[in-house]
Every structure is written in structure tokens, then in C-alpha cells.
Amino acid sequence: MAKKTLEDCPPETLADQVVVVRVDYNLPLNRDGEVVDDTRLVRTLPTIQYLVEAGAKAVLLSHLGRPGGRPDPALSLRPVAGKLEEFLGYPVGFCPMTTGPQAQEAVQRMKSGEVLLLENTRFCPEDARNDAEWAEEISFGTKLFVNDAFGTAHRAHASTQGVAHAVRRGGGGAVAGFLLERELRFLSDAMADPEHPFVTIIGGAKISNKIDVIEALLPAVDRLLIGGAMANTFFKAHGWAVGDSLVEEDRIDTARRLMDLAGDKLLLPVDVLTAPSITSDVSTCVSACDEVGEAQHIGDIGPRTAELFIDVVGGARTVIWSGPMGVFELAPFRSGTFEVARAAASTADRGATVIVGGGDSAAAAVAAGVVDRITHVSTGGSASLEFLSGNEMPGVAALSDR
Ligand code: ADP
Ligand code: MG
């Protein structure tokens, strides 16, 4: 990698040092505010353990949710400190302030080998504003900043980019943690020199979220499979009725342009699963894509499409998958996504590189029970799409060069 990583920092240089680490503990919460998936936290453990074993004082910064620059008790990181403590097996300090005298004191009181999590950086408006003075404050005079927050690396915020600049201005270094390094390695290897056939599966709710990544991947891929609600807009572009399904009327031209651009590479669904409503207790019907009835909702790809997609994925040597094939959260509409997930896992079992990017696709891989067989499940939702689209990530660009 062109950027320095934690591997460039031998343990003996870290003993007794304050090291500031940006992690991404923006964990998905349910309606009761409970953490539903702790993958992002678990993946940071190697970085934290490395620092603890080296005898450093690890000060962790993260955001959680979108509190909009104001404290919001529902988005406090305090429960996350408890979770981290369970995984590490030793105490993790928590400071209810992110900056100011209380935070400074908490950092000053730390002993060698201790871990301290500060309160949600986005309780402070300065974070998203990338305020340089505030970035200086959250650097706590450290000589080493570690960015291990891939999911936030596409944001130029004070706790991602600003703090790296502040530490480097002060003569220190800014490096990638083990999680960030792994993400960049897998995603850039897949992009730089993919083994063919190279297949991309794009699904999910909206074309608008994924145009950039489709356009960036198109020249390199052999097949582009499209499912999910996104396919509906392509059906519309063909002039087919989609009933009451989710459609982006203002993206029909985009769909048309992508169809021209992709030519034979593009594989759209040939059949879909429809129902009178997208709810958990409806009975579904299979329709050809050009025969969707009035007042019907498309909720998943159909069985013939699943077979087609499974076949293409089965022959691939590189697969990038972003976006579910249907409303997999609801039992009647989960089978298309699960079948594609299982096909991707089988392909990975045979030695292909399979990368899953996107928060909901990662959740679908977990729900389908195949997550452990996938080569790399990215922890960055939109961050992985930004990276795959070829956009610069300010949080990475700000790190020290090798
Ligand atoms: P990811 O997070 O993997 O990038 P997206 O956020 O783009 O995926 O899209 C995921 C969402 O798309 C899911 O909540 C899923 O229910 C929804 N979705 C997929 N297919 C359909 C469909 N046919 N109709 C409505 N919503 C859909
Ligand atoms: Mg999503």
C-alpha cells in the first residue's frame, strides 16, 4: 500500500504513548437502540489489541448515527464501550465528553495499555465542519494517529481527515489500522487486476445510489447483473409497466443510457415475484418482467432469473456484489437474494474472489448464513461504493505516505 500502516509502527515505539484511533462504531441499531450487528467493532479488535500489547494508551474516536452536531442521549457511545469491553476481556474507559477539560483529564490519567472511548464525535458540530482547531484538540498532542474507520474514510471530517493533518503538522505520523488496510487491499486488488470472468451484481433500492459504481466497473466486468428495485427503472426504460412497484421516474433516462453503455454485458431479470403489497404475510405470484399487473408490487427476482444469475455467478472468478435482489428483510421476498448469496459463497468455496459491499448486502449474507464463506465483506456501506467508483477517500489521502 502507498500509505503507512500500523505494521510500520514497531511495538517498542508505542510504549507509554498516547495513540489516537478513529474507529467506525456507527453500528446498526434497532428501534430500541440495541446493536444488531457488531461486525464493525469486532474488525477493529486486532488494531486495539496491537496497541494495548505494545503498552500504548489507545484513545478511540467514533461517530454514531446522525445527531447533527448536538448531544443526543440515544446516540451515546457508552453502551458501545461496554460491548468493546466484553470482546477485549478487559476494562475500557468511557468519557462522556469528546473534547474539553474533562476529555483532556481522562486522557492524561490513562496508564500504559489502557483503552479509552470518547463520546460521539458528531455531538460536536466541528466534526462534520472539519474544523481545524477542533481537530487539533482531538489529537491530544499524539505523535501517532491511526485511522481504522473505513466506513467513514470517504468523509473529509475533523475526526477522519483534519486530525490526520493536525498530527502530521505537529511532526507525527498518520497511518492505516489493520481493518482499513485490509479493506483497501481487497478492494483495490479486485479493481486493479481482477481474474476473469469478472461479474458484478448490483441491486438494492435505487439506481441513483449506484450509477457511479456501475459506470466505474462496467469497462472491467464481463457481466453486470441487475436486480432489486433498481431493475424496475430499467423495466420502465424498456416501456414495460411495473404496477405500483418502486421506480425512479427521474432516472429512466439514466437506465436507458446504462443499457446502451453495457450492451451484452447487462443481464436484467426475466421474471419477478409480485404481490398486492410488500408485507410479511402476502402470497406472491411469478410474473414475466413485461407482464406485471396493475396494482402489483415487485418484491424480488423470479425463479428463472435466480437460475440465470446463479449460473453466471457460478462461472465467475471475481464477483463484486452490492445490493439485495429483493426485499430480503421480509420472508416472502427473501429467496432471490439468498439464492444469489449462496451461489456467491459456493463460487468463493471454489477459489473465486467474492467481495460484498453495502450494509444491507452484508446483512443479507449474514441472514443467508454464508457470510463466513465470502472472501471479503466490506464494513463500509457507501464508503466501499465510493472506493469502487474510483473516488478519492479523504480519510485515506490524509495518511502519511510510505
Ligand atoms: P446496500 O446497503 O447493500 O448497498 P441498498 O441500501 O442499496 O443496499 O438497498 C437495500 C434495500 O433495498 C433493502 O432494504 C431492500 O429491502 C430494498 N429493496 C430491494 N429490492 C426491492 C424491491 N423490489 N422493492 C423495494 N425495495 C427493495
Ligand atoms: Mg443500504
Side-chain angles (χ1 to χ4, degrees):
M1 199 165 97
K3 295 295 181 180
K4 285 197 173 159
T5 77
L6 202 48
E7 268 170 50
D8 298 307
C9 310
E12 57 276 16
T13 64
L14 301 172
D16 302 320
Q17 300 292 315
V18 169
V19 176
V20 174
V21 188
R22 176 57 156 101
V23 287
D24 188 344
Y25 291 165
N26 183 30
L27 308 177
L29 307 175
N30 65 16
R31 281 200 197 98
D32 300 324
E34 294 157 350
V35 173
V36 291
D37 179 13
D38 46 31
T39 312
R40 283 181 165 181
L41 185 145
V42 172
R43 294 266 188 92
T44 65
L45 296 178
T47 290
I48 298 170
Q49 279 157 340
Y50 183 83
L51 295 173
V52 166
E53 279 161 28
K57 304 168 183 175
V59 177
L60 310 183
L61 300 171
S62 179
H63 75 287
L64 173 63
R66 294 169 182 246
R70 264 171 277 117
D72 175 350
L75 295 174
S76 170
L77 282 171
R78 186 186 288 278
V80 177
K83 270 230 166 280
L84 180 59
E85 200 164 275
E86 280 170 39
F87 279 109
L88 285 171
Y90 38 81
V92 170
F94 177 75
C95 176
M97 299 300 290
T98 318
T99 50
Q102 199 180 341
Q104 277 163 17
E105 252 170 63
V107 172
Q108 269 154 23
R109 272 201 311 271
M110 288 176 81
K111 298 196 187 65
S112 170
E114 283 186 352
V115 181
L116 174 72
L117 176 63
L118 301 178
E119 186 54 287
N120 196 336
T121 54
R122 289 196 194 160
F123 285 2
C124 311
E126 295 90 342
D127 189 16
R129 275 208 311 256
N130 203 357
D131 184 286
E133 251 171 67
W134 191 81
E136 187 79 47
E137 244 190 279
I138 54 163
S139 75
F140 296 98
T142 186
K143 288 282 166 253
L144 181 65
F145 169 68
V146 179
N147 189 347
D148 217 15
F150 178 67
T152 328
H154 59 309
R155 306 260 178 242
H157 288 176
S159 63
T160 59
Q161 185 199 53
V163 61
H165 287 160
V167 172
R168 291 178 65 190
R169 264 199 313 272
V175 306
F178 296 128
L179 176 159
L180 181 61
E181 190 272 332
R182 183 188 150 94
E183 291 274 7
L184 297 174
R185 179 157 42 88
F186 272 101
L187 297 178
S188 49
D189 284 359
M191 290 296 283
D193 188 18
E195 225 187 302
H196 292 269
F198 178 10
V199 174
T200 296
I201 315 161
I202 303 284
K206 290 182 170 176
I207 293 194
S208 43
N209 292 339
K210 295 192 176 162
I211 296 170
D212 289 352
V213 75
I214 292 176
E215 286 192 307
L217 291 172
L218 208 43
V221 302
D222 300 298
R223 292 323 284 274
L224 168 66
L225 314 184
I226 295 210
M230 174 178 315
N232 303 345
T233 306
F234 285 87
F235 300 154
K236 264 286 176 87
H238 269 297
W240 303 333
V242 296
D244 285 338
S245 309
L246 203 62
V247 165
E248 286 173 279
E249 294 288 348
D250 56 341
R251 299 292 176 172
I252 295 173
D253 281 342
T254 306
R256 232 176 249 129
R257 188 169 54 82
L258 288 175
M259 290 192 311
D260 285 341
L261 214 59
D264 292 346
K265 290 183 176 183
L266 177 64
L267 202 53
L268 285 172
V270 292
D271 59 351
V272 288
L273 227 54
T274 60
S277 63
I278 303 286
T279 45
S280 58
D281 51 3
V282 285
S283 49
T284 58
C285 231
V286 176
S287 303
C289 289
D290 52 353
E291 289 174 3
V292 173
E294 248 177 78
Q296 292 291 306
H297 296 251
I298 300 174
D300 195 3
I301 55 173
R304 271 182 56 220
T305 305
E307 253 177 67
L308 265 171
F309 284 11
I310 289 167
D311 194 49
V312 173
V313 169
R317 293 300 300 166
T318 307
V319 177
I320 292 182
W321 175 29
S322 177
M325 299 291 96
V327 187
F328 75 99
E329 298 93 336
L330 302 178
F333 308 105
R334 71 160 67 121
S335 100
T337 301
F338 280 19
E339 287 193 52
V340 167
R342 284 193 284 264
S346 303
T347 306
D349 292 343
R350 290 194 295 275
T353 301
V354 177
I355 292 174
V356 174
D360 293 291
S361 320
V366 172
V370 300
V371 70
D372 297 332
R373 292 157 60 200
I374 305 292
T375 320
H376 179 67
V377 180
S378 178
T379 56
S382 359
S384 45
L385 294 183
E386 288 277 341
F387 186 83
L388 293 171
S389 306
N391 298 333
E392 186 182 77
M393 306 192 93
V396 177
L399 301 177
S400 310
D401 292 317
R402 259 253 153 80

